[in-house]
């Protein structure tokens, strides 16, 4: 497979094979679900694009060790917390905009009423 035809995640993994890890991969591509990240990462390592990679053996070994480590839960809990914080922040911004819009509409109605009644 020509590098130009490969998905961007494969290209990125090949370029970063010297210091590649599942956390680096998941961070780079925004994975929030452990199973999906693990499956895609392993698919990439097993792909024909990686068949001649000099670090493939080490990467597979590191991945197996990672999956069996205590760091896995800590990492994914932190990813989940970060994701939930981002979602909450976005929701707060949306709610704030809705509140500001409603306030502006209410103020506009009051000003129009006051103007039409000659209070201004």
């Amino acid at each position: 497979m020509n590098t130009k035809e490969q998905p961007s995640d494969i290209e990125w993994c090949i370029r970063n094979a010297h210091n590649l890890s599942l956390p680096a991969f998941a961070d780079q591509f925004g994975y929030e679900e452990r199973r999906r990240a693990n499956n895609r990462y392993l698919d990439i390592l097993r792909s024909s694009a990686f068949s001649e990679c000099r670090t493939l053996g080490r990467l597979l070994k590191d991945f197996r060790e990672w999956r069996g480590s205590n760091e896995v839960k800590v990492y994914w809990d932190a990813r989940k917390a970060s994701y939930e914080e981002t979602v909450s922040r976005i929701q707060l911004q949306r709610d704030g905009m809705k509140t500001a819009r409603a306030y502006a509409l209410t103020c506009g109605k009051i000003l129009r009423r006051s103007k039409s009644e000659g209070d201004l």
Side-chain angles (χ1 to χ4, degrees), residues 60-77:
L60 288 168
K61 178 181 170 279
D62 290 350
F63 180 62
R64 281 191 303 272
E65 289 174 0
W66 160 258
R67 285 178 46 181
S69 74
N70 293 330
E71 296 174 44
V72 171
K73 181 166 177 30
V74 172
Y75 172 79
W76 287 108
D77 285 350

Side-chain angles (χ1 to χ4, degrees), residues 13-112:
C13 289
I14 290 170
R15 283 193 313 271
N16 293 281
H18 60 284
N19 64 349
L20 186 60
S21 67
L22 182 104
F25 172 76
D27 289 345
Q28 177 67 28
F29 293 99
Y31 281 91
E32 301 299 334
E33 185 182 311
R34 181 190 311 190
R35 183 180 301 143
R36 288 188 66 215
N38 285 347
N39 289 343
R40 181 60 183 151
Y41 184 71
L42 195 54
D43 286 347
I44 289 170
L45 293 183
R46 290 179 175 164
S47 71
S48 61
F50 253 85
S51 62
E52 295 182 24
C53 179
R54 293 179 181 166
T55 60
L56 181 58
R58 179 188 56 82
L59 292 170
L60 288 168
K61 178 181 170 279
D62 290 350
F63 180 62
R64 281 191 303 272
E65 289 174 0
W66 160 258
R67 285 178 46 181
S69 74
N70 293 330
E71 296 174 44
V72 171
K73 181 166 177 30
V74 172
Y75 172 79
W76 287 108
D77 285 350
R79 292 283 296 168
K80 182 179 178 182
S82 174
Y83 174 76
E84 289 172 352
E85 179 183 333
T86 300
V87 169
S88 294
R89 187 177 312 116
I90 290 168
Q91 188 62 46
L92 284 171
Q93 289 172 343
R94 286 181 184 162
D95 290 349
M97 292 301 292
K98 286 179 185 176
T99 301
R101 191 176 304 120
Y103 181 74
L105 289 173
T106 300
C107 289
K109 288 178 186 176
I110 292 170
L111 286 172
R112 281 191 295 280

